[in-house]
């Protein structure tokens, strides 16, 4: 899941913590998409359960590489 840290009304840390408390969503990788790069943001993200960061302004390839790294390869089901 891609997550913006600066969401109006609530922040991405709150959303990440809520995901991590849900049994069905706890294993979903979370990538923060943010223009913020401060060490405090990264530490708060780790504590909230965010798995990785992608800086806004980076190429889409950066985000795609993170997604590929964080998600397991899809298994093809046998034909029936």
């Amino acid at each position: 899941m891609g997550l913006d840290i600066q969401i109006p009304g609530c922040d991405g840390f709150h959303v990440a913590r809520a995901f991590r408390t849900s049994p069905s969503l706890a294993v979903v990788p979370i990538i923060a998409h943010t223009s913020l790069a401060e060490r405090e943001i990264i530490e708060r993200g780790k504590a909230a359960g965010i798995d990785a960061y992608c800086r806004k302004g980076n190429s889409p390839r950066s985000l795609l590489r993170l997604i590929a790294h964080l998600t397991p390869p899809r298994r093809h089901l046998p034909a029936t």
Side-chain angles (χ1 to χ4, degrees):
M1 174 181 88
L3 179 63
D4 194 335
I5 293 297
Q6 296 176 311
I7 301 170
C10 80
D11 63 28
F13 304 115
H14 178 80
V15 174
R17 283 190 296 275
F19 260 62
R20 294 301 180 224
T21 62
S22 168
S24 61
L25 299 174
V27 297
V28 173
I30 299 173
I31 299 172
H33 193 229
T34 183
S35 59
L36 305 172
E38 294 85 14
R39 182 176 295 246
E40 176 187 342
I41 298 299
I42 293 170
E43 293 302 316
R44 286 180 65 197
K46 286 180 185 177
I50 294 173
D51 299 296
Y53 292 85
C54 185
R55 297 266 322 206
K56 287 182 180 176
N58 284 356
S59 75
R61 288 185 186 148
S62 299
L63 181 57
L64 292 173
R65 280 194 299 268
L66 275 174
I67 292 168
H69 177 74
L70 291 173
T71 56
R74 290 173 42 130
R75 294 186 199 187
H76 295 287
L77 297 175
T80 57

